[in-house]
């Protein structure tokens, strides 16, 4: 049975509040289309109950309350559906959005929070000091990582490599986009990587490498992590080229070759994401990065990020 056939048997469905469809750009992901009526009623209840972004930042239980508002409109089974998709090794991800109902970026934050807290609990983001981060990519940048550097490839990686807490899933939402050409999200499912076995079975695959974050991340600790690990009897991966500190030339060559192999893999996806849409990925077996933008002095893209753990 093909990936597409397995997916149709598992999760594709149509209800009054939403449709679950195979993603038009890749057989791995789903695209979930919420009804505009459900989104409008969700936002109406958010506004009626004064659920501001600041309130969500200061009051953690409010994040679960707005998640419950979304379930009120689309059905209680919707949260289980999202979790099942992200846990599912054959897929592990989906896109969805506000269907043009709102262009208010505060409402984008609240909507993304509802989705995140149906998945689990968002980790504290030390870079922003909040449970989420918003950051812009512009023509010029003086940061100490590739995150905001528009005109170079942001190589494939997983999140949470330099923090001592589970990072099971990742949510990225496009908030603003002006004068942007290029910059697509680059994604690779671990099982689609042609040379996975060569690197996962390498003598250094289970070596513990030290990870250190740059100053902008506001994380002072160092942590040792294996590149590959067992996850439900299949490989999981933890890797980012910028923050890993090998101790030998052999280790450095292994990490370089691993990164170059993934970047050149024919299964790599370049995902187009409209403003107001988000993508959720299982961070254990999906890698993500970003293509370079074309030069433009008026470039402006703003993204939102949440990442977190599954609740037991």
């Amino acid at each position: 049975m093909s990936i597409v056939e397995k997916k149709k048997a598992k999760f594709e469905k149509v209800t009054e509040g939403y449709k679950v469809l195979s993603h038009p750009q890749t057989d791995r992901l789903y695209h979930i289309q919420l009804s505009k009526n459900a989104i409008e009623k969700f936002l109406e209840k958010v506004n009626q109950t004064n659920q501001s972004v600041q309130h969500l930042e200061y009051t953690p239980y409010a994040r679960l309350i707005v998640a419950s508002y979304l379930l009120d409109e689309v059905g209680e089974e919707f949260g289980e559906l999202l979790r099942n998709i992200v846990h599912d090794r054959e897929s592990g991800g989906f896109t969805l959005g506000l269907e043009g109902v709102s262009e208010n970026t505060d409402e984008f934050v609240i909507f993304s929070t509802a989705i995140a807290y149906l998945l689990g609990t968002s980790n504290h983001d030390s870079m922003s000091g909040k449970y989420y981060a918003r950051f812009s990519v512009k023509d010029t940048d003086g940061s100490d990582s590739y995150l905001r550097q528009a005109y170079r490839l942001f190589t494939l990686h997983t999140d949470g490599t330099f923090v001592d807490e589970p990072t099971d899933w990742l949510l990225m939402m496009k908030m603003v986009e002006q004068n942007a050409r290029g910059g697509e999200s680059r994604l690779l499912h671990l099982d689609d990587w042609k040379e996975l076995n060569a690197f996962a079975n390498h003598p250094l695959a289970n070596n513990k490498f030290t990870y250190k974050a740059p100053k902008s991340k506001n994380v002072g600790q160092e942590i040792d992590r294996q590149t590959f690990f067992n996850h439900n009897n299949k490989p999981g991966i933890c890797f980012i080229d910028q923050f890993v500190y090998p101790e030998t030339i052999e280790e450095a060559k292994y990490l370089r070759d691993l990164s170059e192999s993934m970047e050149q893999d024919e299964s790599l996806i370049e995902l187009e994401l409209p403003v107001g849409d988000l993508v959720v990925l299982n961070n254990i077996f999906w890698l993500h990065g970003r293509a370079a933008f074309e030069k433009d002095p008026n470039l402006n893209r703003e993204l939102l990020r949440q990442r977190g753990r599954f609740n037991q």
Side-chain angles (χ1 to χ4, degrees):
M1 184 181 289
S2 70
I3 292 170
V4 174
E5 290 170 329
K6 287 181 179 179
K7 284 174 61 179
K8 286 181 177 177
K10 285 183 179 180
F11 300 121
E12 290 191 7
K13 63 186 298 185
V14 177
T15 74
E16 185 177 344
Y18 60 90
K19 299 177 183 177
V20 184
L21 309 168
S22 184
H23 198 284
Q25 292 178 255
T26 168
D27 293 337
R28 282 289 186 189
L29 300 177
Y30 291 92
H31 178 67
I32 301 172
Q33 185 177 332
L34 298 175
S35 76
K36 290 187 177 182
N37 182 58
I39 297 169
E40 288 167 351
K41 287 185 175 180
F42 164 74
L43 293 176
E44 182 179 339
K45 193 163 186 180
V46 164
N47 292 319
Q48 286 175 347
T49 56
N50 299 314
Q51 300 289 345
S52 67
V53 171
Q54 185 182 71
H55 184 55
L56 299 189
E57 292 173 359
Y58 291 179
T59 314
Y61 70 70
R63 304 166 200 168
L64 289 158
I65 298 300
V66 297
S68 75
Y69 292 168
L70 188 56
L71 293 184
D72 289 343
E73 304 307 327
V74 297
E76 287 292 329
E77 79 287 347
F78 186 68
E80 183 177 2
L81 170 74
L82 298 188
R83 292 187 294 274
N84 286 343
I85 290 174
V86 179
H87 277 291
D88 178 46
R89 182 78 183 207
E90 296 295 335
S91 174
F94 60 85
T95 59
L96 82 167
L98 284 154
E99 301 296 332
V101 170
S102 173
E103 296 180 354
N104 183 319
T105 57
D106 277 1
E107 292 184 337
F108 289 6
V109 175
I110 294 168
F111 177 76
S112 71
T113 299
I115 298 298
Y117 276 77
L118 291 176
L119 297 170
T121 300
S122 291
N123 294 340
H124 177 74
D125 197 306
S126 297
M127 188 179 82
S128 66
K130 302 173 182 179
Y131 72 91
Y132 67 94
R134 292 176 66 170
F135 51 90
S136 295
V137 179
K138 296 181 181 292
D139 180 53
T140 59
D141 172 70
S143 67
D144 55 7
S145 77
Y146 296 156
L147 181 65
R148 295 185 177 91
Q149 294 185 14
Y151 305 124
R152 67 174 300 152
L153 178 71
F154 188 9
T155 46
L156 292 167
H157 62 282
T158 59
D159 271 25
T161 56
F162 52 79
V163 293
D164 189 16
E165 60 186 346
T167 307
D168 298 323
W169 52 264
L170 169 71
L171 179 156
M172 297 177 287
M173 186 172 194
K174 188 175 289 185
M175 308 288 276
V176 175
E177 186 165 76
Q178 299 164 330
N179 304 302
R181 295 177 301 279
E184 295 85 1
S185 295
R186 302 171 74 251
L187 310 176
L188 180 64
H189 190 291
L190 200 57
D191 296 347
D192 293 334
W193 178 20
K194 186 176 181 179
E195 295 187 309
L196 168 63
N197 289 336
F199 286 96
N201 296 322
H202 191 280
L204 289 173
N206 303 122
N207 182 67
K208 289 192 174 182
F209 291 99
T210 299
Y211 281 84
K212 306 175 191 178
K215 289 183 179 179
S216 66
K217 305 299 184 184
N218 299 319
V219 176
Q221 71 181 133
E222 298 180 8
I223 189 165
D224 293 334
R225 288 196 178 277
Q226 294 179 195
T227 304
F228 292 97
F229 54 90
N230 184 287
H231 177 71
N232 296 331
N233 296 317
K234 291 190 175 183
I237 189 168
C238 176
F239 173 73
I240 185 168
D241 58 354
Q242 297 173 70
F243 311 141
V244 60
Y245 286 76
E247 295 183 350
T248 68
I249 292 174
E250 180 189 12
E251 292 176 356
K253 287 182 176 180
Y254 170 73
L255 296 171
R256 178 203 61 189
D257 293 347
L258 177 149
S259 182
E260 290 182 352
S261 173
M262 292 190 297
E263 297 298 334
Q264 297 165 8
D265 195 89
E266 61 186 16
S267 296
L268 194 149
I269 304 158
E270 291 202 342
L271 185 75
E272 297 176 4
L273 196 66
V275 173
D277 274 29
L278 59 83
V279 58
V280 169
L281 300 169
N282 189 306
N283 191 56
I284 294 167
F285 50 81
W286 274 101
L287 297 115
H288 66 281
R290 188 190 64 229
F293 290 89
E294 293 182 29
K295 177 72 174 176
D296 192 310
N298 298 311
L299 169 67
N300 179 32
R301 175 187 283 178
E302 184 182 0
L303 293 177
L304 176 144
R305 175 184 68 207
Q306 292 191 56
R307 50 198 179 188
R309 66 184 186 276
F310 295 119
N311 295 333
Q312 298 301 316

